[in-house]
């Protein structure tokens, strides 16, 4: 399968370019030239596959020129052998709700599902290429932990993780900063998540710098992550055995919900995808009324969604513009100037597939309380936003993506119900272990120098 950049689709790239570089040199995101669309008969054949088999079938469509199907299959098996659920994900019934639990990986958030896979994909690539790669990634809390767990101890790989200082939960931070492997570097930036993401983007766009250190990215724009995430949409669809399924997706960078859109484009019978945001509601404003003007980022109790500019939204803009890359590049310019509005015809197309809602802090706490009182289940605040959005839209017949284990956000649940979930035994150690991280200013040069001094 060949790929192009959303901002200039005259040039083709291989899966290797897409996976290792993450971002195209022109600043655009990679998308496949064409997508495999499964027929109803082909989909029927997937119905009885287990999670690993299904992953192999779907991912193989995208990575065939990079890794053979046999090698992919064993790589996937290895990736998910670290999960506490044998079938990787689990659908649970909570009262009337269906939760798709995605947090049974080593760092307790859905990001493990894609990240364990791509950690092994790097290892596979480096077994065939004599190189050293430096991964640099910004995190709003969960990406960093998942990436570190996936990369720690692997040879010829370093990982540098930028998190916003004092703006992530202490459990999130400790899972990252108590790792001892020598190839892991934690950096706390005096700024918010968008600042961290900007620094990483600037490092990448300084081509001389990024090439000099073989810099690679694992943030949610990495196509390899997106395709690993499409799998659980397929898997849960087959488990539910209904004609069509809708999903409510707690959303920050638009990666997870974009994976659902991709599954729909590949032929899966998805009705609506609900984009559920916290008070950082730019995507809700965009999808409900076309208003894509970013505001100051607010700190919330669902920090992994404290994002204004959702990187993966560019992919949707590209598809809505019928794969017109100059038009997409132009939209991205407007987004940069913070003057982008979605026109009415485009908005109508978007609303065929997407609904949106946002929950403020009190609404999120109220959901946690209500679900606990009715079902004796503690939801993490991100999942609660997904439930709240579906409730507000009176869209009850949908699957809520449960993106994190509640024990990762004890302050939020204490606040709502005066209770918190304990960490699983195998992670208890992070609570008392010494942490190791470097605090740096919100300054790209400073970060560049730090990284360079360590590679
Ligand atoms: C990252 C994250 C999200 C948001 O996912 P995106 O792909 O960025 O939209 C939601 N919930 C949790 C717990 C997360 O870690």
């Amino acid at each position: 399968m060949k790929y192009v950049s959303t901002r200039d689709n005259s040039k083709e790239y291989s899966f290797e370019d897409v996976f290792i570089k993450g971002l195209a040199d022109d600043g655009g995101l990679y998308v496949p030239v064409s997508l495999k669309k499964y027929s109803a008969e082909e989909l029927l054949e997937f119905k009885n596959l287990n999670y690993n088999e299904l992953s192999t079938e779907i991912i193989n469509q995208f990575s065939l020129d990079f890794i053979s199907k046999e090698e992919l299959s064993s790589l996937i098996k290895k990736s998910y052998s670290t999960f506490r659920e044998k079938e990787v994900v689990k659908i649970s019934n909570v009262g009337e709700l269906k939760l798709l639990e995605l947090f049974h990986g080593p760092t307790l958030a859905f990001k493990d599902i894609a990240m364990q896979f791509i950690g092994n994909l790097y290892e596979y690539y480096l077994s065939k290429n004599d190189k050293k790669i430096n991964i640099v990634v910004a995190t709003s809390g969960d990406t960093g932990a998942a990436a570190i767990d996936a990369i720690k101890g692997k040879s010829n790989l370093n990982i540098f993780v930028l998190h916003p200082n004092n703006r992530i939960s202490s459990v999130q931070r400790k899972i990252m900063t108590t790792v001892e492997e020598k190839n892991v570097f934690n950096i706390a930036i005096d700024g918010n998540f968008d600042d961290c993401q900007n620094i990483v983007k600037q490092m990448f766009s300084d081509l001389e710098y990024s090439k000099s250190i073989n810099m690679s990215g694992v943030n949610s724009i990495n196509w390899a992550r997106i395709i690993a995430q499409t799998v659980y949409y397929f898997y849960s669809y087959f488990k539910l055995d209904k004609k069509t399924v809708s999903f409510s997706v707690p959303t920050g960078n638009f990666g997870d919900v974009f994976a659902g859109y991709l599954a729909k484009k590949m032929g899966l019978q998805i009705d609506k995808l609900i984009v559920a945001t916290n008070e950082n509601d730019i995507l809700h404003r965009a999808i409900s009324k076309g208003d894509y003007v970013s505001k100051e980022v607010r700190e919330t109790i669902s920090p992994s969604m404290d994002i204004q500019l959702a990187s993966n939204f560019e992919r949707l803009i590209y598809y809505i513009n019928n794969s017109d890359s100059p038009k997409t590049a132009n939209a991205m310019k407007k987004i940069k100037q913070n003057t982008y509005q979605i026109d009415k015809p485009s908005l109508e197309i978007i609303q065929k597939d997407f609904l949106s809602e946002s929950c403020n802090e009190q609404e999120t706490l109220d959901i946690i309380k209500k679900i606990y009182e009715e079902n004796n289940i503690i939801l993490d605040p991100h999942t609660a936003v997904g439930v709240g959005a579906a409730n507000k839209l009176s869209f009850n017949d949908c699957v809520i993506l449960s993106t994190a284990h509640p024990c990762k956000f004890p302050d939020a649940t204490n606040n709502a119900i005066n209770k918190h979930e304990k960490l699983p035994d195998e992670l208890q150690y992070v609570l008392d272990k010494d942490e190791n991280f470097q605090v740096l200013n919100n300054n790209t040069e400073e970060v560049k120098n730090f990284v360079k001094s360590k590679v």
Side-chain angles (χ1 to χ4, degrees):
M1 186 179 277
K2 290 288 172 204
Y3 295 84
V4 290
S5 160
T6 48
R7 298 192 195 176
D8 173 9
N9 59 12
S10 63
K11 203 173 143 204
E12 293 191 345
Y13 302 88
S14 66
F15 184 82
E16 178 178 323
D17 295 325
V18 168
F19 165 51
I20 297 295
K21 285 211 246 148
L23 195 69
D25 285 351
D26 59 28
L29 308 192
Y30 295 112
V31 284
V33 172
S34 64
L35 272 179
K36 161 94 183 157
K37 189 158 184 189
Y38 293 108
S39 66
E41 294 78 55
E42 283 174 305
L43 285 174
L44 211 58
E45 283 178 25
F46 285 172
K47 202 169 157 55
N48 295 317
L49 300 183
N50 68 29
Y51 195 89
N52 289 346
E53 291 164 343
L54 185 61
S55 293
T56 305
E57 289 299 328
I58 291 170
I59 295 173
N60 186 49
Q61 294 294 339
F62 295 95
S63 60
L64 202 53
D65 57 358
F66 182 78
I67 179 168
S68 73
K69 192 170 177 184
E70 290 68 38
E71 288 171 300
L72 178 65
S73 167
S74 64
L75 190 148
I76 285 171
K77 248 187 221 144
K78 178 176 166 194
S79 302
Y80 297 137
S81 64
T82 54
F83 279 55
R84 286 177 301 278
E85 275 297 318
K86 191 171 135 278
E87 278 291 88
V88 185
V89 303
K90 183 177 143 191
I91 298 176
S92 62
N93 292 302
V94 175
E96 310 246 280
L97 296 172
K98 289 197 166 24
L99 297 186
L100 174 57
E101 296 180 2
L102 303 172
F103 52 74
H104 297 293
T107 70
L108 311 167
F110 83 91
K111 306 237 168 42
D112 285 322
I113 295 177
M115 215 60 96
Q116 288 292 315
F117 165 66
I118 69 171
N120 289 319
L121 209 54
Y122 274 107
E123 192 168 55
Y124 171 80
Y125 172 75
L126 290 172
S127 73
K128 313 217 160 192
N129 292 273
D130 182 23
K131 266 192 193 169
K132 238 184 129 98
I133 288 181
N134 289 289
I135 293 169
V136 183
V137 64
T139 184
S140 54
D142 293 322
T143 299
I148 288 171
D149 193 87
I151 301 295
K152 68 182 184 194
K154 288 199 165 30
S155 43
N156 296 322
L157 275 169
N158 288 320
I159 178 158
F160 297 86
V161 175
L162 282 63
H163 73 259
N165 199 18
N166 294 323
R167 284 184 160 98
I168 62 177
S169 88
S170 65
V171 177
Q172 283 183 311
R173 191 188 65 244
K174 285 176 180 179
I175 294 177
M176 297 199 285
T177 57
T178 54
V179 172
E180 283 176 6
E181 275 82 353
K182 293 274 177 292
N183 68 337
V184 173
F185 301 91
N186 279 289
I187 302 170
I189 298 290
D190 273 325
N192 58 38
F193 169 71
D194 284 345
D195 296 326
C196 296
Q197 188 157 260
N198 261 329
I199 292 174
V200 175
K201 277 186 185 159
Q202 283 174 12
M203 291 171 78
F204 270 107
S205 51
D206 179 346
L207 297 181
E208 197 182 324
Y209 179 86
S210 57
K211 286 191 173 134
S212 75
I213 62 164
N214 269 332
M215 188 169 150
S216 187
V218 295
N219 64 355
S220 71
I221 57 153
N222 193 305
W223 186 255
R225 276 184 65 183
I226 304 271
I227 56 178
Q229 289 169 219
T230 59
V231 177
Y232 44 73
Y233 287 93
F234 283 89
Y235 185 82
S236 53
Y237 175 84
F238 296 130
K239 276 279 164 289
L240 288 168
D241 204 20
K242 289 172 56 171
K243 238 188 155 113
T244 64
V245 178
S246 294
F247 294 91
S248 178
V249 188
T251 301
N253 233 335
F254 205 74
D256 210 7
V257 72
F258 182 81
Y261 178 70
L262 193 66
K264 184 169 184 182
K265 275 182 121 34
M266 291 166 77
L268 192 67
Q269 293 297 314
I270 293 177
D271 179 14
K272 294 286 191 223
L273 293 158
I274 299 174
V275 174
T277 72
N278 63 25
E279 289 181 0
N280 296 291
D281 64 349
I282 181 169
L283 286 170
H284 169 48
R285 284 185 280 114
I287 288 166
S288 58
K289 48 186 202 233
D291 169 21
Y292 198 80
V293 171
S294 81
K295 301 180 179 164
E296 277 280 299
V297 179
R298 288 211 205 152
E299 277 177 52
T300 73
I301 54 170
S302 46
S304 301
M305 305 181 351
D306 289 350
I307 294 171
Q308 282 287 329
L309 291 179
S311 311
N312 279 294
F313 201 64
E314 179 165 352
R315 289 193 164 108
L316 182 66
I317 293 174
Y318 178 78
Y319 283 123
I320 298 306
N321 286 332
N322 278 320
S323 308
D324 182 334
S325 54
K327 212 169 157 188
T328 307
N330 202 23
M332 295 316 295
K333 251 187 221 142
K334 286 198 183 142
I335 287 179
K336 201 155 185 199
Q337 298 157 351
N338 208 12
T339 58
Y340 181 61
Q341 297 285 334
I342 303 172
D343 60 42
K344 210 152 180 253
S346 303
L347 198 58
E348 279 167 11
I349 301 173
I350 291 175
Q351 289 171 348
K352 282 193 185 131
D353 296 318
F354 294 96
L355 294 170
S356 68
E357 251 309 340
S358 89
C359 292
N360 66 26
E361 296 289 270
Q362 192 56 49
E363 289 167 334
T364 309
L365 292 168
D366 289 347
I367 292 284
I368 296 174
K369 188 155 182 266
K370 175 166 173 278
I371 298 291
Y372 181 72
E373 284 170 355
E374 290 173 2
N375 307 287
N376 205 22
I377 297 262
I378 304 180
L379 292 185
D380 99 276
H382 305 78
T383 306
V385 169
V387 173
N391 279 355
K392 282 173 106 173
L393 289 162
S394 306
F395 210 95
N396 298 322
D397 187 22
C398 68
V399 175
I400 316 285
L401 269 60
S402 185
T403 49
H405 193 294
C407 72
K408 258 186 139 168
F409 303 95
D411 294 346
T413 60
N414 276 334
N415 197 343
I417 51 177
N418 221 352
K419 279 199 168 52
H420 61 273
E421 199 86 74
K422 265 183 27 197
L423 255 71
D425 291 344
E426 65 272 24
L427 275 165
Q428 283 289 335
Y429 74 94
V430 305
L431 297 179
D432 313 308
K433 205 168 159 191
D434 282 345
E435 294 185 61
N436 195 355
F437 62 95
Q438 177 81 30
V439 181
L440 294 180
N441 290 311
N442 176 15
N443 178 305
T444 306
E445 288 308 311
E446 211 172 291
V447 178
K448 277 184 185 168
N449 291 335
F450 176 81
V451 170
K452 194 112 202 186
S453 73
K454 301 290 180 191
V455 306

